[in-house]
Amino acid sequence: MKYYSFRFLVLFCIGFFVFQSIWITSAYGQSETVAVDATPKPSSEETSKINSVSEQTLPLPADSHKALPKEYLLNNGLKVIFIKDTAFPLVSCFTWYKVGSRDDPPGMTGLTHLVEHLLFQNIGNFNGNQWANSVVRSGGEFSGFTSEDFTAFYSNLPTYQLELAIRGEAARMRSAHFTKLSVAKEVENLVNEEKAQEQDPMHILNREVHALAYEGHPYRNPPGGWCHELEKLTFNEAKTHYDKYFHPNNASLVLVGSFDEEIAFKLIEKHFGSIARSDNIPINVYPQGRPQLAERQIRLKGHNGKESIILAYKVAGIGDADAVAISVLEQCLNLQFQGSLHTQLIDSGLCSSVQAAFEQKHDAGLLLIKCVGITPNGSDKVMQILESFLNQLKTKQLSDADVNRLVKQTEFTYYSDADGPYRCAFQTGFFSTLAKTEDARLWPKKILQVKAGDILRVARLYLNEDNRVLGHIAVVSSNIPSKDKKIDRFISKDHLSFLSHTNDTLNRTLADDHFRLAAYETGVVKPYTVPVRNTASVQSGTVSPSKSATDSENSNSEEPQLYCKILRNGLRVIVLESHLNPLVQICGSLKAGSIYEHSDGRGMSKLLAELLDMGSMRANKQQLIAAQGDLGMPPNEMLKFEPGLENITFHSRCLSEDFASEIRQLFTSLMEPRLQNGDFEAAKTDLAAVLRRTEKDPEMRIDRTLLKSLINSSSAYYPIHPEEEINSISNFKLNDLTDFYHEHVNPANTTIFVCGDVQSVYA
């Protein structure tokens, strides 16, 4: 369970600093810049203070203000990675272990996952759930997950609780206290969890597709294990597995956020320094299995309703040179699924969703295409459309213009997936564990080097029928009880050699199976409940003679780099610097909400927002979308205006190198809106259609009814019926909207908030 008090803390911090800056600037002048000083304080003698063997700032191209990773190696082999960013007084602490379900001994699938679950209770001097309770009471969250290649634990906490996170991770590493009773209880919990998840046919299909794709390799086993093996796991097996793999020289500790590096060094040395390395950690190398000679198929019967399809192509692992090009190919597939193929597959009603996913692994990965909610007997048509598109990818090379846009969008997606301390820590630890730490920063540079020929080559190499597994949930007309569900396997061309592998699995019942857990898709969340009674609080010990625990609470983090300025024309600009990733969020508001409408002009604010969203006199909406698409921005991150009661809000997100371009687009839309008859009438028509859909939405109708019962009918906040707004809008003239625009859209009514990888002076 993730605890949302942490999210509340983040929102509170943002609100506090924004309110503080607005109040200061309002009180002390119209053209003064108010900044909360956050000059970085370099750590002193970092190498000696951490008792490290080596230290390096990774040699990556970046500006001096970028948050670069620093990597250290302790004498006991623990890899430590720091990425410092002072945007918020928060820190994300991850510990990664190079042990996953691939390392489960034969006949003991689910063992790594079991050990992961056992490492949340009775660790070190924390009894029961004491550590978990302490994290939650601090406003933080925690969890862990097991994948095929690694096991990871994390906690997101306020900076002043950094020692709580580090102390807990150190206790988890070598001071866990298993008992036969606790192991038996956790095994029972996991078995029940697996059986409950088997009620979802898509999970079953996903698991079985992976089992077929990875014949001869331990990736064929789900990280959660097969139930018939999981339920037999013992205390001795769990303890042996824990003692074999959970050591400092098989782990990486990643800290991302706002923290004092010198204090963090001392805390790590204090809690991890005494843990001895192990010289008996096995280095497991697994065969890739025999080459696949033909398509493998699996069909799940017994599901009444919609059909589903999974296509799984075995592709290169994360360390292979093809992996970057495959990630661009994945982006190409998803863009088509949102574009032309969306019309053929989703708008036509053939299926409800279609998506591609590149599962990056240490060994061979998978490129998956999932089509869900297919209409009965519609699977053949869906396959025909998909195969036609895939064949086109393999025969026709993309144009340079298309590739340039594609790699920019792949780069943007990559950075979006690593936005914020938690995601940045995850991405850094993921690459550090499966490849090299610097690959996390070099990956987007490699993306930009992908050419049309690279995409064509990997498409031809991997997107072949003989290299895939086809999974299908087929609809049956009769009502089959869940216990009678069964899996039928079909194989073409190479069926003789395949059957020798599946003799045992053909007879496996669904009750013995477990759906696939991919750590990069969903984490295994600990179902802890915080008791009402008080527990002993966690005391922070003295850090060192030079900096005490009190110092760590006051000095652990630097103040966020927040600036606010009111320009001479009244425009308020607020900037919060964060340099974890080269992304910039732009948002703001206009004091032009519906409460400013005249009684005979209801709907004017919504109409203005609709028209502002149509672009400017320099570029219409389609041209604006094309320009932002060339910058790599996905549709949901492009400039958007939305109406509200008090304000018309706007927002977009772009790469920092495109910040100036996006700001120009914003101000052009505000200063030169398309106030002409053709666009005005189009905006009226589009808004009327939106309002009619709103009237049919049950939730919106309930909300409107509730508000009417609470608000005086004479109030400007009193909701009006959509039909009343439609009638009012139909009578508007262009001059009416022009007058409303000039009255309310001006710098003094505008606030712009910029957050991300931008320097305040430049912004």
Side-chain angles (χ1 to χ4, degrees):
M1 181 180 295
K2 291 187 178 180
Y3 295 93
Y4 294 93
S5 54
F6 177 78
R7 299 179 184 177
F8 174 79
L9 176 64
V10 175
L11 295 174
F12 174 79
C13 292
I14 295 174
F16 172 77
F17 288 120
V18 171
F19 171 79
Q20 183 185 50
S21 294
I22 293 175
W23 182 82
I24 292 174
T25 53
S26 299
Y28 294 102
Q30 292 293 304
S31 60
E32 297 297 322
T33 301
V34 178
V36 182
D37 186 20
T39 306
K41 297 176 288 186
S43 305
S44 61
E45 301 177 353
E46 293 172 345
T47 303
S48 61
K49 290 182 183 298
I50 197 171
N51 189 29
S52 61
V53 176
S54 63
E55 170 194 354
Q56 58 175 323
T57 298
L58 300 177
L60 302 170
D63 296 333
S64 59
H65 66 280
K66 293 293 192 296
L68 295 178
K70 290 184 178 181
E71 185 173 309
Y72 306 86
L73 188 66
L74 272 63
N75 284 328
N76 60 11
L78 178 66
K79 184 192 296 184
V80 178
I81 303 170
F82 287 166
I83 303 180
K84 188 174 181 179
D85 184 74
T86 60
F88 304 106
L90 309 167
V91 64
S92 185
C93 178
F94 263 87
T95 306
W96 297 76
Y97 294 90
K98 291 183 178 181
V99 55
S101 61
R102 58 182 265 156
D103 302 302
D104 291 341
M108 302 180 193
T109 59
L111 183 58
T112 304
H113 186 211
L114 170 63
V115 172
E116 178 236 313
H117 271 243
L118 292 168
L119 296 183
F120 281 90
Q121 301 183 60
N122 297 313
I123 54 176
N125 295 324
F126 297 101
N127 296 321
N129 294 335
Q130 186 183 4
W131 180 83
N133 294 340
S134 300
V135 171
V136 175
R137 288 192 172 88
S138 300
E141 64 176 358
F142 68 94
S143 193
F145 32 78
T146 303
S147 85
E148 295 93 335
D149 294 307
F150 58 79
T151 302
F153 304 89
Y154 75 87
S155 56
N156 298 323
L157 286 162
T159 300
Y160 72 89
Q161 286 287 9
L162 175 61
E163 182 167 10
L164 174 62
I166 293 174
R167 181 184 170 193
E169 293 303 330
R172 177 180 282 134
M173 180 174 285
R174 291 304 320 140
S175 301
H177 308 298
F178 299 172
T179 65
K180 292 183 178 180
L181 180 62
S182 65
V183 171
K185 183 177 180 180
E186 197 59 48
V187 166
E188 181 182 2
N189 291 338
L190 289 175
V191 169
N192 291 334
E193 178 183 303
E194 306 311 317
K195 290 182 178 180
Q197 290 164 339
E198 288 171 357
Q199 301 306 308
D200 185 345
M202 273 302 292
H203 282 309
I204 299 174
L205 186 66
N206 193 49
R207 173 201 63 197
E208 295 294 331
V209 164
H210 282 74
L212 286 183
Y214 287 112
E215 174 192 348
H217 190 282
Y219 283 170
R220 69 182 181 274
N221 299 315
W226 303 106
C227 272
H228 70 286
E229 295 179 353
L230 174 61
E231 62 189 5
K232 298 176 183 177
L233 296 178
T234 66
F235 165 82
N236 289 334
E237 292 166 346
K239 187 66 167 60
T240 300
H241 199 66
Y242 173 64
D243 291 337
K244 181 182 291 186
Y245 290 103
F246 288 80
H247 296 277
N249 52 317
N250 198 42
S252 298
L253 180 68
V254 183
L255 290 182
V256 178
S258 180
F259 57 92
D260 185 296
E261 293 183 23
E262 185 177 355
I263 291 177
F265 293 160
K266 293 179 179 179
L267 291 175
I268 292 170
E269 185 179 42
K270 172 184 175 181
H271 294 289
F272 283 95
S274 61
I275 302 176
R277 65 182 295 125
S278 172
D279 296 324
N280 300 313
I281 301 173
I283 300 176
N284 298 323
V285 179
Y286 301 101
Q288 294 299 312
R290 67 176 181 83
Q292 184 171 329
L293 303 178
E295 180 182 73
R296 298 168 181 172
Q297 298 181 10
I298 177 172
R299 184 174 64 188
L300 174 63
K301 298 194 300 185
H303 173 63
N304 292 310
K306 302 283 187 176
E307 299 184 5
S308 295
I309 285 175
I310 297 178
L311 295 177
Y313 297 88
K314 188 177 289 187
V315 295
I318 193 172
D320 193 282
D322 284 345
V324 177
I326 295 169
S327 70
V328 179
L329 178 60
E330 172 200 20
Q331 184 76 13
C332 179
L333 292 170
N334 280 321
L335 287 175
Q336 290 299 318
F337 294 154
Q338 298 168 13
S340 60
L341 290 183
H342 191 281
T343 302
Q344 298 181 57
L345 293 171
I346 298 177
D347 293 343
S348 66
L350 269 177
C351 65
S352 59
S353 69
V354 56
Q355 186 178 19
F358 175 24
E359 289 188 355
Q360 296 176 332
K361 304 182 191 300
H362 181 274
D363 298 338
L366 285 182
L367 181 59
L368 302 171
I369 299 175
K370 296 184 179 182
C371 295
V372 180
I374 302 173
T375 56
N377 302 317
S379 295
D380 290 342
K381 180 64 174 177
V382 169
M383 284 297 300
Q384 180 183 348
I385 294 172
L386 289 176
E387 289 183 329
S388 174
F389 169 64
L390 295 176
N391 287 332
Q392 184 179 354
L393 275 180
K394 294 186 291 183
T395 56
K396 184 178 180 181
Q397 183 167 297
L398 298 173
S399 68
D400 289 341
D402 288 338
V403 173
N404 289 338
R405 171 181 286 216
L406 185 59
V407 296
K408 287 286 288 183
Q409 291 171 334
T410 308
E411 178 194 26
F412 188 97
T413 300
Y414 176 84
Y415 283 128
S416 295
D417 290 342
D419 198 17
Y422 166 80
R423 290 185 175 186
C424 181
F426 181 94
Q427 187 185 78
T428 302
F430 179 84
F431 275 94
S432 180
T433 304
L434 269 64
K436 294 181 293 185
T437 305
E438 57 264 33
D439 287 342
R441 294 279 171 172
L442 293 175
W443 193 270
K445 311 299 180 185
K446 295 178 181 179
I447 288 174
L448 295 178
Q449 296 172 2
V450 173
K451 305 300 181 184
D454 299 320
I455 300 173
L456 181 64
R457 178 179 54 79
V458 295
R460 288 175 172 174
L461 181 61
Y462 297 110
L463 298 183
N464 298 309
E465 183 177 335
D466 292 346
N467 184 47
R468 78 182 181 196
V469 174
L470 169 61
H472 180 208
I473 295 179
V475 174
V476 293
S477 57
S478 60
N479 293 323
I480 301 178
S482 59
K483 66 179 182 179
D484 293 327
K485 291 180 183 177
K486 65 178 181 179
I487 295 174
D488 290 344
R489 286 178 171 82
F490 302 89
I491 201 70
S492 57
K493 301 180 184 178
D494 62 345
H495 63 281
L496 293 179
S497 56
F498 169 77
L499 289 177
S500 64
H501 162 68
T502 58
N503 284 337
D504 59 330
T505 55
L506 282 170
N507 297 320
R508 184 186 296 132
T509 64
L510 293 186
D512 293 329
D513 296 337
H514 178 277
F515 84 102
R516 184 160 211 79
L517 289 172
Y520 33 78
E521 291 180 352
T522 223
V524 181
V525 180
K526 300 295 155 306
Y528 289 131
T529 302
V530 182
V532 177
R533 65 182 184 277
N534 293 326
T535 60
S537 61
V538 179
Q539 301 296 327
S540 297
T542 301
V543 178
S544 72
S546 60
K547 288 196 176 183
S548 66
T550 302
D551 293 330
S552 70
E553 291 189 6
N554 296 329
S555 306
N556 242 5
S557 63
E558 300 163 4
E559 291 295 329
Q561 301 180 40
L562 185 76
Y563 301 83
C564 182
K565 184 171 184 177
I566 299 179
L567 306 183
R568 295 185 185 280
N569 60 8
L571 176 68
R572 178 177 282 111
V573 180
I574 304 169
V575 181
L576 178 61
E577 294 188 29
S578 174
H579 304 294
L580 285 178
N581 279 298
L583 293 174
V584 181
Q585 179 82 37
I586 304 169
C587 57
S589 63
L590 305 166
K591 290 183 180 178
S594 59
I595 65 170
Y596 297 103
E597 298 169 346
H598 299 295
S599 58
D600 58 347
R602 304 308 297 268
M604 189 70 74
S605 175
K606 292 179 181 177
L607 183 60
L608 177 59
E610 189 74 29
L611 190 124
L612 289 173
D613 214 35
M614 298 179 74
S616 68
M617 295 301 295
R618 300 187 186 186
N620 61 31
K621 187 171 185 176
Q622 294 306 315
Q623 292 170 328
L624 185 59
I625 290 174
Q628 293 178 108
D630 289 339
L631 301 179
M633 300 166 62
N636 63 316
E637 303 289 5
M638 294 180 181
L639 181 60
K640 176 71 175 175
F641 291 86
E642 296 180 343
L645 283 172
E646 297 181 346
N647 300 290
I648 292 176
T649 60
F650 52 85
H651 58 86
S652 69
R653 189 165 66 150
C654 62
L655 292 171
S656 55
E657 64 187 28
D658 302 317
F659 171 69
S661 174
E662 191 64 11
I663 283 290
R664 283 194 297 269
Q665 296 278 18
L666 169 62
F667 276 95
T668 302
S669 296
L670 290 173
M671 297 173 65
E672 302 178 30
R674 301 183 68 82
L675 290 170
Q676 53 188 11
N677 280 317
D679 296 291
F680 172 70
E681 293 299 330
K684 289 170 62 176
T685 301
D686 292 344
L687 179 57
V690 171
L691 292 173
R692 289 191 178 95
R693 289 196 296 270
T694 300
E695 165 58 20
K696 297 178 181 179
D697 188 329
E699 291 186 8
M700 296 295 291
R701 297 176 71 174
I702 292 173
D703 289 344
R704 190 167 59 251
T705 302
L706 178 61
L707 290 174
K708 284 184 176 182
S709 68
L710 298 173
I711 301 174
N712 191 294
S713 60
S714 61
S715 170
Y717 294 91
Y718 187 78
I720 65 173
H721 196 280
E723 284 298 331
E724 184 180 342
E725 279 190 296
I726 293 173
N727 293 334
S728 175
I729 291 168
S730 65
N731 295 322
F732 290 161
K733 305 299 182 185
L734 179 58
N735 289 339
D736 300 327
L737 183 62
T738 303
D739 292 342
F740 187 82
Y741 164 78
H742 286 300
E743 181 180 357
H744 296 287
V745 181
N746 56 68
N749 281 346
T750 306
T751 298
I752 297 178
F753 181 64
V754 178
C755 178
D757 185 34
V758 62
Q759 292 178 309
S760 57
V761 176
Y762 175 64

